[in-house]
Amino acid sequence: MFLTHFVLCILYTMIIGAVDCFPRKSTLSKLSINNSQNATGHWNSKIQFEHGVVNKQGSPLDLKLEQAIVSSERDDVVLITANFTVPPRSTPPEDYELIPGLGFYKLHKEPENWHTARVMCRKEGAYLEIINSHFELSVIKMLFDRNPTLTDDWRNPYAFVGVSDLQKHKTFVTIFDEPLNATGYSNWHPGQPNYDGNCVVVQRTGQLHDTGCEIKFPFFCERGL
């Protein structure tokens, strides 16, 4: 459940005409506002809120809309406030672990190539892991520590995450097209990336490496709250 306030977005559209507001790292919701002025000088604002349905049954949003006039010495301002209460998501598979404040996590121990790993996460209602903080990295390390032997060869210290430069060589982005340096965590191993591969693994130490997408590694899946 979360509460969305978009009064500031509405005011901002009065200046630039349109705004898209996305909750970070969320594939569930999209808020878009388009503002225009007609021939008579009236301002028209179209506000659209899209909420993805996790399960087929779904449930409607609880919407409360309030309007008020706020007066000051210089002007009167119409203040519109809308509160959306979004129903909780469906329960993830039992083998996902809930980390309060972050989400649900799973380390897939059976190695797969990067593309297959991405599809498998999606089928579970999750996505290939994106590390956004050192706190989130501590969760990754915890799952690694519980599984000291994932493979019996050189791949054992590594697991795929949701980052690649498949779209543009030498430009690493997440599966949501967010630049890696904007995620909050981009700790490359010294000498990395060396651009020998297009996909990214995280090492047990927490450092990132680029590698071949077709090489099979264990991988992390993540799902938001």
Side-chain angles (χ1 to χ4, degrees):
M1 181 183 297
F2 69 86
L3 198 62
T4 302
H5 298 276
F6 55 75
V7 175
L8 291 179
C9 285
I10 295 175
L11 296 177
Y12 195 45
T13 58
M14 297 295 290
I15 301 173
I16 67 172
V19 168
D20 286 322
C21 302
F22 293 88
R24 182 171 182 176
K25 206 174 175 181
S26 171
T27 58
L28 282 180
S29 302
K30 175 182 178 181
L31 175 64
S32 60
I33 305 172
N34 291 285
N35 197 68
S36 61
Q37 191 173 26
N38 63 20
T40 63
H42 292 81
W43 284 101
N44 298 311
S45 294
K46 179 182 179 182
I47 303 167
Q48 182 169 305
F49 182 74
E50 300 176 13
H51 174 62
V53 178
V54 177
N55 51 46
K56 292 185 178 180
Q57 289 74 30
S59 54
L61 303 180
D62 179 20
L63 171 62
K64 294 181 180 179
L65 187 64
E66 298 177 356
Q67 176 177 295
I69 296 179
V70 180
S71 299
S72 66
E73 293 182 359
R74 296 185 57 188
D75 238 332
D76 289 338
V77 177
V78 177
L79 184 65
I80 301 174
T81 303
N83 295 331
F84 296 99
T85 302
V86 179
R89 305 182 67 183
S90 59
T91 304
E94 293 182 0
D95 49 357
Y96 275 72
E97 182 168 352
L98 170 62
I99 305 299
L102 283 181
F104 299 88
Y105 294 81
K106 176 181 179 180
L107 171 58
H108 278 264
K109 304 174 187 179
E110 186 66 29
E112 298 289 352
N113 67 51
W114 190 87
H115 301 284
T116 300
R118 182 177 182 178
V119 171
M120 289 179 64
C121 290
R122 188 182 302 138
K123 287 182 177 179
E124 294 175 353
Y127 52 87
L128 205 52
E129 164 68 23
I130 299 170
I131 304 172
N132 288 100
S133 65
H134 285 277
F135 177 42
E136 195 165 20
L137 177 65
S138 69
V139 176
I140 300 304
K141 288 184 174 181
M142 175 188 69
L143 296 175
F144 262 138
D145 290 343
R146 290 179 186 172
N147 299 273
T149 305
L150 290 168
T151 66
D152 57 3
D153 55 20
W154 64 272
R155 297 171 299 166
N156 185 56
Y158 308 101
F160 274 132
V161 291
V163 178
S164 75
D165 71 344
L166 289 167
Q167 294 187 32
K168 183 179 179 182
H169 186 49
K170 296 187 178 182
T171 301
F172 285 93
V173 299
T174 71
I175 55 174
F176 301 125
D177 298 327
E178 180 184 28
L180 177 60
N181 59 13
T183 61
Y185 188 85
S186 56
N187 182 24
W188 291 100
H189 187 277
Q192 295 287 323
N194 59 17
Y195 306 110
D196 284 343
N198 299 108
C199 293
V200 174
V201 291
V202 60
Q203 192 174 354
R204 291 177 181 270
T205 59
Q207 295 172 314
L208 303 176
H209 299 250
D210 64 334
T211 188
C213 299
E214 297 304 322
I215 302 174
K216 292 185 176 182
F217 287 97
F219 57 98
F220 289 100
C221 293
E222 174 186 0
R223 180 170 146 173
L225 294 170

